């Protein structure tokens, strides 16, 4: 087949521009910080009520993401089977796009006092995001020849990172301009993300071709949908190289997606980083990721996809080990942070009583609290700085491989799958694998953090998942050498 026109390719890539703002602004930067800070502010604790239960807010965030991905994973087989058999990928892509944009916009109504609404809107936005991507991904083999798929896939990710960084900078400017009302400024960002997503997606919908239906069948949608998964699974089992790659992809995706989903909360709650520095760091990660995605595409052309993926997964293992050691250093500083938080609360309580006190009494009390607070912050600074610098180095490393591993995994699968018009079902299987990995990763991360009281222990599980993924990639490479296979 021939690669589609430049107009179609650019239009396809523009959807990454449109919806990647959700992934950066909602799941990666602003919403994790807002969710934990707003609920802690309202309930005066990091333990919040939710449907009759009392759950740590960081774990609740992880559970909400896991729930969203579980629901959409279960819906995938049915939706993609309908879309592929009737040739209406675009219709379903539009449906999920608008669902996600609506969920983002409705987060404007979440003020911390209503965690059920916040979780519901977050799940709705997440379902829209991941639901639309399966149809978006399924267009790749239809618009790009095999030799161009790495380049086109990387272009999509590059567009996504550029668009999300621009929206992030706009959001950061809003936060700075409305610094006296930080919660409102963040809620305003959620509204803008929804408008950005739905608005720029129109450029994609205007140029994407209507996919041709493989066949029109009148069957029970649920039976037909899961029959498609069973059919793809049966074919994958016969393809030794694809089977081993997907196993590796499943396990390293648990690690990659969990790191991306939990990094901001980790930096904020475990390493106690300043929110402004954290947001700036996340923006810089996106800029580095643009370079990383393009660079990895070139490496794969020279060394082969699977070999490059093995090197990248090994690099992720090193990142997780470094994060574990950094978290250990941060835990040793917990007494400092606890005392500083206590003094800051005393200062806030003192300000609340100012009208009831004489000027002299207030000044004396305020000077005492402020002096002690300054001493504790001064003593903490030389210990906190190395942790900050370690986080910046970790962020740089994550940025280099974050976009590249996703782009390269997607194009590797596209090359290894058999030639077929039933692309949506195959990519449904691919996304099903990834989304179940996210469910397991986020649930495990949140559960271990809640049970042990420390996110540091959750990192150990991520290291194990990456090691298993690396093992299967080695197995795939060995199988590739034994028998003729597509050049990956």
């Amino acid at each position: 087949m021939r690669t589609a026109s430049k107009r179609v390719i650019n239009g396809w890539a523009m959807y990454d521009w449109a919806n990647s703002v959700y992934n950066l602004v909602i799941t990666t930067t602003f919403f994790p910080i807002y969710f934990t800070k707003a609920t802690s502010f309202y309930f005066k604790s990091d333990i919040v009520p939710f449907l009759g239960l009392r759950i740590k807010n960081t774990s609740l965030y992880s559970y909400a993401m896991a729930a969203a991905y579980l629901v959409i994973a279960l819906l995938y087989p049915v939706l993609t089977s309908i879309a592929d058999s009737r040739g209406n990928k675009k219709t379903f892509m539009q449906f999920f796009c608008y669902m996600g944009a609506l969920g983002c916009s409705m987060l404007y109504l979440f003020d911390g006092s209503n965690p059920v609404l916040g979780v519901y809107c977050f799940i709705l936005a997440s379902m829209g995001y991941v639901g639309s991507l399966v149809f978006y991904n399924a267009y790749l083999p239809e618009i790009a020849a095999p030799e161009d798929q790495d380049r086109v896939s990387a272009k999509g990710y590059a567009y996504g990172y550029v668009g999300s960084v621009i929206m992030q900078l706009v959001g950061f400017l809003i936060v700075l301009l409305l610094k006296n009302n930080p919660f409102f400024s963040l809620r305003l960002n959620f509204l803008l993300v929804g408008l950005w997503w739905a608005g720029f997606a129109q450029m994609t919908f205007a140029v994407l071709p209507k996919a041709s239906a493989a066949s029109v069948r009148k069957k029970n949608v649920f039976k037909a949908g899961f029959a498609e998964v069973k059919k793809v699974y049966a074919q994958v089992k016969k393809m030794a190289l694809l089977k081993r790659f997907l196993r590796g992809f499943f396990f390293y995706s648990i690690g990659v997606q969990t790191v991306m989903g939990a990094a901001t909360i980790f930096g904020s709650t475990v390493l106690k980083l300043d929110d402004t520095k954290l947001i700036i760091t996340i923006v810089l990660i996106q800029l580095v990721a643009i370079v990383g995605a393009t660079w990895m595409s070139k490496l794969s052309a020279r060394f082969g996809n699977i070999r490059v993926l093995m090197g990248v997964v090994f690099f992720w293992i090193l990142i997780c080990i470094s994060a574990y050691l950094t978290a250990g250093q941060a835990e040793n500083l917990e007494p400092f942070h606890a005392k500083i938080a206590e003094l800051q609360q005393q200062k806030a309580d003192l300000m609340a009583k100012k009208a009831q006190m004489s000027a002299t009494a207030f000044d004396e009390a305020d000077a005492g609290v402020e002096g002690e607070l300054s001493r504790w912050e001064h003593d903490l600074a030389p210990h906190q700085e190395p942790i900050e610098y370690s986080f910046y180095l970790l962020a740089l490393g994550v940025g280099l491989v974050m976009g590249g591993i996703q782009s390269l995994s997607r194009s590797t699968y596209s090359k290894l799958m058999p030639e077929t018009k039933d692309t949506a079902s195959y990519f449904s299987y691919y996304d099903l694998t990834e989304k179940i990995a996210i469910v397991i990763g986020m649930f495990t991360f949140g559960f271990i953090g809640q049970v042990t009281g420390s996110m540091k222990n959750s990192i150990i599980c991520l290291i194990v998942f990456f090691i298993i993924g690396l093992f299967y990639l080695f197995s795939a490479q060995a199988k590739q050498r034994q028998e003729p296979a597509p050049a990956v």
Side-chain angles (χ1 to χ4, degrees), residues 240-250 252 306 309 408-410 412-413 416 430 472-473 476:
L241 178 56
L242 179 59
K243 177 177 65 176
R244 297 181 188 198
F245 165 73
L246 277 175
R247 288 174 179 173
F249 170 74
F250 174 75
Y252 71 66
I306 293 178
L309 282 171
L408 195 57
S409 297
R410 180 168 65 179
T412 301
Y413 180 76
L416 291 176
Y430 174 83
Y472 277 114
L473 287 178

Side-chain angles (χ1 to χ4, degrees), residues 86-401:
R86 289 165 175 78
N88 54 353
K89 288 184 183 71
K90 187 189 294 187
T91 301
F92 282 92
M93 185 175 168
Q94 288 171 318
F95 172 79
F96 281 104
C97 167
Y98 299 140
M99 174 195 290
L102 177 64
C104 288
S105 299
M106 287 177 61
L107 284 172
Y108 176 81
L109 304 174
F110 170 55
D111 61 5
S113 66
N114 45 357
V116 174
L117 175 66
V119 167
Y120 172 76
C121 293
F122 177 62
I123 289 177
L124 192 68
S126 299
M127 287 174 61
Y129 174 73
V130 298
S132 63
L133 279 182
V134 69
F135 301 100
Y136 171 70
N137 288 338
Y139 269 106
L140 180 61
E142 293 187 9
I143 64 173
E147 64 270 17
D148 292 327
Q149 286 172 10
D150 284 352
R151 176 182 59 82
V152 173
S153 180
K155 186 173 191 176
Y157 276 105
Y159 271 44
Y161 287 124
V162 172
S164 58
V165 166
I166 291 174
M167 181 62 219
Q168 181 80 319
L169 292 174
V170 171
F172 189 52
L173 180 61
I174 292 173
V175 171
L176 292 178
L177 292 175
L178 300 176
K179 59 183 177 182
N180 292 330
N181 195 346
F183 286 170
F184 173 73
S185 66
L186 291 174
R187 288 164 53 207
L188 186 60
N189 270 289
F190 305 149
L191 178 61
L192 290 177
V193 166
L195 296 175
W196 175 292
W197 186 352
F200 280 108
Q202 303 312 308
M203 299 176 68
T204 300
F205 299 143
V207 300
L208 279 184
K210 184 177 180 180
S212 59
S215 61
V216 178
R217 301 181 299 272
K218 292 184 178 180
K219 292 184 178 181
N220 180 291
V221 217
F222 296 95
K223 287 181 63 177
F226 286 98
E228 288 294 318
V229 174
K230 185 177 180 181
K231 181 185 74 174
V232 174
Y233 174 71
Q235 292 176 346
V236 167
K237 283 202 306 182
K238 299 175 184 177
M239 304 176 69
L241 178 56
L242 179 59
K243 177 177 65 176
R244 297 181 188 198
F245 165 73
L246 277 175
R247 288 174 179 173
F249 170 74
F250 174 75
F251 283 104
Y252 71 66
S253 286
I254 294 178
V256 171
Q257 298 296 335
T258 304
V259 169
M260 292 170 60
T264 304
I265 288 182
F266 175 77
S268 178
T269 61
V270 177
L271 305 186
K272 309 295 183 183
L273 298 180
D274 176 76
D275 290 347
T276 301
K277 293 179 180 178
L278 193 57
I279 292 171
I280 292 174
T281 303
I282 297 299
V283 172
L284 293 177
I285 287 177
Q286 308 309 309
L287 296 175
V288 173
I290 297 172
V291 179
T294 306
W295 170 64
M296 206 167 294
S297 174
K298 293 180 179 179
L299 283 179
S300 66
R302 181 175 179 181
F303 298 105
N305 292 31
I306 293 178
R307 184 179 297 180
V308 173
L309 282 171
M310 288 193 306
V312 172
V313 171
F314 180 73
F315 191 73
W316 274 103
I317 293 172
L318 297 181
I319 289 174
C320 287
I321 292 173
S322 299
Y324 179 83
L325 297 175
T326 303
Q329 292 178 314
E331 284 186 347
N332 295 331
L333 302 180
E334 187 58 37
F336 286 90
H337 293 293
K339 184 62 179 179
I340 289 172
E342 178 187 333
L343 292 170
Q344 288 173 336
Q345 186 61 50
Q346 288 181 19
K347 188 174 178 64
D349 293 341
L350 189 62
M351 290 296 295
K353 299 176 182 177
K354 183 177 181 180
Q356 306 169 14
M357 302 172 63
S358 66
T360 303
F362 174 80
D363 288 342
E364 289 179 356
D366 184 57
V369 174
E370 187 63 38
E372 189 173 0
L373 180 60
S374 296
R375 285 193 296 273
W376 277 91
E377 289 177 338
H378 180 269
D379 291 342
L380 172 65
H383 303 289
Q384 182 68 14
E385 282 182 2
I387 292 175
E388 285 190 18
Y389 295 141
S390 296
F391 181 77
Y392 299 149
L393 289 175
L394 288 171
L396 176 64
V398 168
L400 283 173
V401 294

Side-chain angles (χ1 to χ4, degrees), residues 450-467:
Q450 183 173 358
V451 170
T452 65
S454 172
M455 283 190 186
K456 184 183 78 169
N457 299 319
S458 302
I459 299 175
I460 298 174
C461 281
L462 299 185
I463 295 173
V464 173
F465 289 134
F466 275 121
I467 291 174

